[in-house]
Amino acid sequence: MATDLERSAERGLSQPTAGRSAVDLATVLGILAAVILVATAIVLGGSPGSFVDGPAVLIVFGGTFGVTTACFSVADMISSMKDVGRTVFRTHHDVRAVAVQMLQIAQVARYRGILAIQSYLPVLEGQPMLVQGLNMVIDGTSGDEVERIMLREVQARAQRNARSVSILRKAAELSPAMGLIGTLVGLVQMLSNLEDPSTIGPSMAVALLTTFYGACLANMVFNPLASKLERNAAEDMLTNHLCVTAAASIGRQENPRRLEMLFNTMLPPSQRVDYFG
């Protein structure tokens, strides 16, 4: 019976479940649709060129970026930009398939020994967290120690994601404020040159467009990206906790059926596994 289970696991591992790196269409199409609809309304209203103003762009975009950077750090800003890039171009994992693959690895480790899983690590290159844990198990680290180390890594990743979300939220908060500052700048310029009617139009353009740019930037870019980053971080957190549980269980040499039970306490009801029947 053990041989049948072992062969079943190996057959599954020969067809690994790899993550699919692709554009997140919901994010891209949602933001793009909002921009297109606003742009269409502007064009249908006539004179779309009047909605483009260099000083307004500098005040809102430059001011938002500068003040947000002042609130955090350059390294935090670079890290958040990378996280936004990973949000748009995201590697998707089927959580249930990942759980099944971990059960297969646990099955091989139980019936062939811990060292036997070393040959399967290339199959798991799309799961760096799991590979890290399994390498520690192969090196002889106890299951409890593996769990402690990996949980610290999971916590560090969660903190980084939370920081990136807070940066986007802060930018969404600051962009309308920079728009208000631009409005005040435009009004001051207009009121200080009332004797020259030719300056009233450009000053009013700055005053109104900065508010427009700030509102669009906050509600059409920063807030949606922050919400999507939070959602993706929650999905990654679930996958990472599955990896921690699997590596720790294998390190303790527990029965894979117990690991399946633990997985099903963590997975949503629609994604629970029934690998052992």
Side-chain angles (χ1 to χ4, degrees), residues 12-274:
L13 286 169
S14 65
Q15 298 291 334
T17 304
R20 297 179 294 104
S21 181
V23 176
D24 190 322
L25 292 179
T27 302
V28 175
L29 293 180
I31 294 177
L32 190 61
V35 172
I36 289 175
L37 289 172
V38 172
T40 301
I42 291 173
V43 171
L44 293 177
S47 63
S50 61
F51 283 83
V52 179
D53 185 83
V57 171
L58 290 175
I59 292 172
V60 176
F61 287 80
T64 299
F65 180 81
V67 177
T68 303
T69 303
C71 293
F72 297 91
S73 69
V74 175
D76 289 339
M77 295 295 290
I78 294 174
S79 177
S80 69
M81 290 178 186
K82 292 179 180 178
D83 287 338
V84 168
R86 283 189 288 268
T87 298
V88 177
F89 299 95
R90 178 168 170 76
T91 299
H92 296 270
H93 292 284
D94 184 341
V95 178
R96 187 178 186 279
V98 169
V100 169
Q101 193 174 54
M102 293 179 191
L103 290 172
Q104 293 167 349
I105 290 289
Q107 197 171 313
V108 171
R110 180 171 178 82
Y111 293 111
R112 294 184 57 192
I114 297 295
L115 296 179
I117 64 178
Q118 190 168 7
S119 60
Y120 297 103
L121 293 183
V123 173
L124 304 171
E125 59 183 7
Q127 293 290 338
M129 177 70 73
L130 180 60
V131 171
Q132 176 187 350
L134 293 179
N135 276 323
M136 288 189 288
V137 171
I138 293 170
D139 291 339
T141 308
S142 67
D144 292 339
E145 183 65 17
V146 168
E147 186 173 29
R148 282 194 294 269
I149 294 173
M150 293 184 70
L151 283 176
R152 286 197 292 268
E153 175 68 19
V154 170
Q155 184 179 10
R157 294 190 181 192
Q159 289 175 347
R160 188 193 69 186
N161 288 331
R163 185 165 55 248
S164 296
V165 170
S166 66
I167 288 174
L168 291 173
R169 296 292 188 198
K170 176 60 71 174
E173 175 186 333
L174 289 172
S175 52
M178 296 308 301
L180 178 59
I181 291 173
T183 298
L184 296 175
V185 169
L187 290 176
V188 169
Q189 291 176 343
M190 182 187 69
L191 294 175
S192 62
N193 293 283
L194 288 177
E195 70 278 0
D196 185 2
S198 64
T199 64
I200 296 177
S203 298
M204 282 298 296
V206 173
L208 297 177
L209 286 177
T210 50
T211 301
F212 173 74
Y213 289 162
C216 288
L217 202 59
N219 297 293
M220 295 170 59
V221 179
F222 291 135
N223 275 327
L225 288 177
S227 297
K228 180 53 70 72
L229 187 56
E230 282 181 326
R231 180 182 182 277
N232 292 344
E235 291 181 355
D236 291 341
M237 181 69 72
L238 174 59
T239 302
N240 289 337
H241 276 294
L242 292 177
C243 293
V244 173
T245 303
S249 177
I250 294 172
R252 299 186 187 106
Q253 299 182 9
E254 296 175 344
N255 192 314
R257 292 179 182 274
R258 183 178 185 278
L259 179 59
E260 180 185 56
M261 180 187 67
L262 291 174
F263 280 170
N264 285 333
T265 63
M266 302 165 64
L267 292 169
S270 61
Q271 294 181 307
R272 289 179 178 172
V273 297
D274 187 20

Side-chain angles (χ1 to χ4, degrees), residues 2-14 104 107-108 275:
T3 302
D4 292 339
L5 290 172
E6 176 189 328
R7 290 175 179 171
S8 173
E10 292 184 2
R11 283 197 299 270
L13 286 169
S14 65
Q104 293 167 349
Q107 197 171 313
V108 171
Y275 181 69

